Amino acid sequence: MAATGGVSGKIVYEQEGVYIHSSCEKTNDQDSLIAGILRVLEKDAEVIVDWRPLDDALDSSSILYAGKDSSSVVEWTQPPKEKVYRGSEHLNSYEAEWDMVNTVPFKKKQYTNGDAPSHRNGKSKWSFLFSLTDLKSIKQNKEGMGWSYLVFCLKDDVVLPALHFHQGDSKLLIDSLEKYVVLCESPHDKRTLLVNCQNKSLSQSFENLLDEPAYGLIQAGLLDRRKLLWAMHQWKKIKKDPYTATMVGFSKVTNYIFDSLRGSDPSTHQRPPSEMADFLSDAIPGLKINQQEEPGFEVITRIDLGERPVVQRREPVSLEEWTNNIDSEGRILNVDNMKQMIFRGGLSHALRKQAWKFLLGYFPWDSTKEERTQLQKQKTDEYFRMKLQWKSVSEEQEKRNSRLRDYRSLIEKDVNRTDRTNKFYEGQDNPGLILLHDILMTYCMYDFDLGYVQGMSDLLSPLLYVMENEVDAFWCFASYMDQMHQNFEEQMQGMKTQLIQLSTLLRLLDSGFCSYLESQDSGYLYFCFRWLLIRFKREFSFLDILRLWEVMWTELPCKNFHLLLCCAILESEKQQIMEKHYGFNEILKHINELSMKIDVEDVLCKAEAISLQMVKCKELPQAVCEILGLQDSEVATPDSDTGEDENIGMPSCATSTFQSDSLRVLATSGARDDGPTQISVSPDVSRLTLA
């Protein structure tokens, strides 16, 4: 629809017969009813809500609207005997249908150059226009009270005149606005819709990726407003389902943003890495990954890690092996050895239902069969008490509990799309889906502060599949969430920390590859976000995830082994990325398309080999030692401030928690002709030594 006058731009909503009731004392006086047209327009990079009287023939340039600082654009005046209402205090008092607001007209500030626009009539003072980014809340009328109305409250607590819809429902306007912003009921007043009020912590963090940094770029003239508008539309898709849309959506969004930054001049296509570093560090506050060399940083890039061993994995632990490691009372014998066997080969499927409870901490490793039976009884009672809490909430109670409603709504949506191709969850009215729903709802009672965040259903699904028991699956899930909790918290501190740590490890392994990624604005490793968020759940087949997770749960061979898995995958893709000169978007696309194409056994072998390579290194930086949980030697590290000679002050972090009496690792021969190097492990210490 083309604009016929007034504000130029693409009209996405238009409604005539939208009135302002200018005086509550004159509701029968037609002069007090100001008929107007309400429009929602896409103008440049903004979405604008515009109301003007039907006979207002002002040019769009004569109407000022609220920007980021609306106080500098609009000046409100208080007519005699009228009271100015502002903020939530006013909205809560808005009860009567006919002009419950003592409306506050406003006037435009005078132009500094003296060219003040002329008004054809006094009613033009009622015209208003604001950007959707400045909208704070919308107040709706009570149902069944005549014409519907809406009241817009801006972020600076300015309350606009009530708009009464004499010729149609206001719902169409709400539907139109919801294409651009998220609206939800206020927990204090169900008639008030709050803007961008997401309870989904993860979505909030994703939303921050565009808000302030993009606005700053617009103000600086670096970002095309039209392209940003398109990018924001794409970003809404990411916010609705962040963990599945991260790769494709982020690629599309950043493509437009970066094109605008680069412009048409080929000489600007390669920007300094620090420029992109600033943009992305603002996007996720607290994420600091160095893009420039700093004192001590060069040390990592020059370290010779030595030869990398070739690792061979064993067969999965069998039921017989498991049974032979249990005493007469049901205790697990030689727990360390059992963990090592699981790490090296995983578990046969028949064992998983039993062994996962130990790996996840639901059952203590030193518990007897009788103790575990008593524990299960206790945990069963505890689970159903929590389940009863949400099951017993009546519909009337739930109407007054917006958080519970939000959790339930999100869980129902996610459950219906979680692993539906797996026979355990396929089809309509599947009992597995019901159990997924009930466990996630009960977890909201267990940890109400966190509640439910998108992605958690992905973590529960394999657990329920293996346990085939609601209670056991819940407690295993609760234990797993203890490990993963920070990934889903509002500030996403866990994700920030892991991305920084991954960058540190990757730079140690291949500083050249890191430099290439930085040159393509990919040094922040955002393409690994989904891997870390839900522990590779979307990257491997369902059965491979069972193997991968049980190996990681052994906590061997070092702390943060999942980061070495990331390094192993990236190392495998390095050649293609660099030889084909992939840029930012191509890297994102390529990494996303690896899903379901990665060989889990190959990745586990490479990651273990990397860990052994690092363990052997006598010059491992202190930061890497801390990430991998390797014990420090008493010898000073080269980056410590001791003033000792570097040849004397070698760091040694070669002490690992990983032991294996039978471990044999073959070192890659490379150009050497002297056979493989054997690594042996002393039975009384956990230090790997060259034989």
Side-chain angles (χ1 to χ4, degrees), residues 139-153:
K139 182 76 173 186
Q140 304 176 96
N141 63 298
K142 286 184 178 179
E143 295 182 4
M145 291 188 64
W147 294 316
S148 62
Y149 68 78
L150 296 176
V151 180
F152 295 110
C153 179

Side-chain angles (χ1 to χ4, degrees), residues 378-528:
Q378 174 190 336
K379 292 297 186 180
T380 299
D381 291 342
E382 189 175 347
Y383 173 78
F384 283 107
R385 281 197 300 270
M386 290 187 292
K387 183 174 182 179
L388 185 61
Q389 291 175 359
W390 65 267
K391 279 280 192 179
S392 61
V393 174
S394 67
E395 291 185 8
E396 287 300 316
Q397 284 179 298
E398 191 163 320
K399 288 179 181 178
R400 296 185 291 272
N401 191 331
S402 61
R403 291 185 68 187
L404 185 60
R405 286 199 311 273
D406 291 342
Y407 290 154
R408 185 193 295 274
S409 174
L410 190 55
I411 288 171
E412 289 173 352
K413 182 173 67 174
D414 280 4
V415 161
N416 285 325
R417 60 187 182 185
T418 300
D419 292 323
R420 297 306 302 275
T421 58
N422 187 301
K423 290 185 178 180
F424 192 80
Y425 298 109
E426 70 180 2
Q428 297 297 321
D429 301 320
N430 187 300
L433 298 181
I434 297 172
L435 291 178
L436 271 180
H437 171 274
D438 288 2
I439 292 172
L440 292 171
M441 285 295 297
T442 305
Y443 186 80
C444 292
M445 301 295 105
Y446 176 79
D447 188 347
F448 204 81
D449 286 340
L450 180 63
Y452 179 79
V453 181
Q454 285 178 313
M456 288 165 56
S457 62
D458 274 295
L459 300 184
L460 171 60
S461 172
L463 298 173
L464 180 58
Y465 171 84
V466 168
M467 294 299 148
E468 298 179 302
N469 177 281
E470 181 179 3
V471 175
D472 290 343
F474 172 83
W475 289 111
C476 287
F477 175 66
S479 296
Y480 197 14
M481 281 303 300
D482 287 344
Q483 303 176 28
M484 304 292 289
H485 200 282
Q486 281 195 320
N487 282 15
F488 297 96
E489 292 172 358
E490 182 174 351
Q491 300 302 319
M492 298 183 72
Q493 188 56 51
M495 294 302 301
K496 298 171 188 175
T497 300
Q498 289 173 85
L499 287 171
I500 292 170
Q501 291 174 335
L502 178 56
S503 176
T504 301
L505 294 174
L506 192 61
R507 182 173 291 277
L508 172 66
L509 290 169
D510 196 328
S511 61
F513 186 36
C514 274
S515 296
Y516 176 82
L517 293 176
E518 289 169 4
S519 72
Q520 302 303 319
D521 301 321
S522 299
Y524 278 82
L525 307 179
Y526 280 125
F527 45 81
C528 298

Side-chain angles (χ1 to χ4, degrees), residues 61-282:
S61 62
S62 68
I63 298 181
L64 305 180
Y65 60 95
K68 284 289 178 180
D69 181 12
S70 63
S71 63
S72 66
V73 179
V74 176
E75 181 179 86
W76 293 81
T77 62
Q78 182 176 354
K81 301 181 180 179
E82 290 187 354
K83 179 180 179 181
V84 177
Y85 292 89
R86 300 169 74 90
S88 59
E89 178 182 353
H90 162 64
L91 291 179
N92 291 333
S93 68
Y94 200 137
E95 297 300 333
E97 164 59 326
W98 278 93
D99 212 85
M100 285 125 298
V101 171
N102 288 322
T103 317
V104 183
F106 60 90
K107 65 181 180 181
K108 286 77 177 180
K109 285 188 175 181
Q110 297 299 315
Y111 281 47
T112 55
N113 60 6
D115 298 328
S118 61
H119 296 261
R120 290 180 54 192
N121 56 65
K123 290 186 177 180
S124 64
K125 69 180 181 180
W126 296 101
S127 301
F128 65 79
L129 182 153
F130 62 88
S131 171
L132 203 55
T133 58
D134 293 305
L135 182 60
K136 177 182 179 181
S137 63
I138 304 173
K139 182 76 173 186
Q140 304 176 96
N141 63 298
K142 286 184 178 179
E143 295 182 4
M145 291 188 64
W147 294 316
S148 62
Y149 68 78
L150 296 176
V151 180
F152 295 110
C153 179
L154 305 184
K155 289 181 179 178
D156 55 0
D157 285 338
V158 169
V159 178
L160 296 174
L163 298 179
H164 298 259
F165 292 73
H166 289 202
Q167 299 178 13
D169 194 346
S170 60
K171 187 177 185 303
L172 292 176
L173 173 62
I174 298 297
D175 292 341
S176 177
L177 297 180
E178 285 185 323
K179 296 177 182 178
Y180 304 98
V181 294
V182 177
L183 301 174
C184 68
E185 289 182 3
S186 165
H188 307 295
D189 184 0
K190 64 181 181 180
R191 292 164 50 206
T192 299
L193 299 177
L194 303 178
V195 179
N196 290 335
C197 57
Q198 302 177 69
N199 290 321
K200 311 171 190 65
S201 302
L202 186 60
S203 298
Q204 287 177 333
S205 297
F206 271 91
E207 182 181 358
N208 291 338
L209 286 174
L210 272 184
D211 286 350
E212 294 306 322
Y215 176 74
L217 292 172
I218 291 173
Q219 295 299 97
L222 297 176
L223 192 58
D224 188 296
R225 290 172 178 264
R226 289 169 294 182
K227 290 184 177 181
L228 179 65
L229 179 62
W230 182 92
M232 292 177 71
H233 291 174
Q234 292 294 324
W235 205 256
K236 282 180 63 62
K237 298 177 182 178
I238 297 178
K239 291 195 292 180
K240 290 180 180 178
D241 191 4
Y243 64 99
T244 57
T246 299
M247 297 303 173
V248 177
F250 191 69
S251 176
K252 291 178 180 177
V253 171
T254 49
N255 181 42
Y256 274 79
I257 294 177
F258 294 167
D259 284 349
S260 297
L261 281 167
R262 293 185 175 111
S264 58
D265 183 1
S267 65
T268 65
H269 286 196
Q270 292 295 330
R271 302 186 312 285
S274 59
E275 183 178 322
M276 196 58 220
D278 292 341
F279 178 82
L280 291 178
S281 63
D282 288 339

